[in-house]
Amino acid sequence: MSENITTLTDATFAEVIGSSEKPILVDFWAEWCGPCKTIAPILEEFALEQSDKFSVGKLDVDVNVATATKFSVM
């Protein structure tokens, strides 16, 4: 994963989102998800090119069930 993308967890999600000075694009993803793998390089490019305007975070929904459930991610 790119150094421009923040790994989010159930434990860090609220703090990272709440303390960010920039909008954050959150990618709710899973290892088994084909479309997630397809979009990953695009998100890395976006994170690099738009780092002055946006932050990008990724949250693995299989590991971080509480946050995924809170936002109705299936």
Side-chain angles (χ1 to χ4, degrees), residues 25-48:
L25 171 67
V26 177
D27 177 25
F28 291 89
W29 70 282
E31 185 64 38
W32 50 265
C33 173
C36 298
K37 290 180 180 182
T38 301
I39 199 170
I42 297 165
L43 286 175
E44 289 190 24
E45 183 177 337
F46 178 82
L48 181 62

Side-chain angles (χ1 to χ4, degrees), residues 5-44:
I5 297 179
T6 302
T7 299
L8 301 168
T9 66
D10 285 342
T12 65
F13 188 87
E15 181 182 344
V16 171
I17 299 299
S19 66
S20 179
E21 296 180 8
K22 299 184 275 188
I24 300 178
L25 171 67
V26 177
D27 177 25
F28 291 89
W29 70 282
E31 185 64 38
W32 50 265
C33 173
C36 298
K37 290 180 180 182
T38 301
I39 199 170
I42 297 165
L43 286 175
E44 289 190 24

Side-chain angles (χ1 to χ4, degrees), residues 20-25 46-56:
S20 179
E21 296 180 8
K22 299 184 275 188
I24 300 178
L25 171 67
F46 178 82
L48 181 62
E49 292 177 358
Q50 300 296 323
S51 63
D52 59 328
K53 297 176 189 170
F54 295 92
S55 295
V56 176

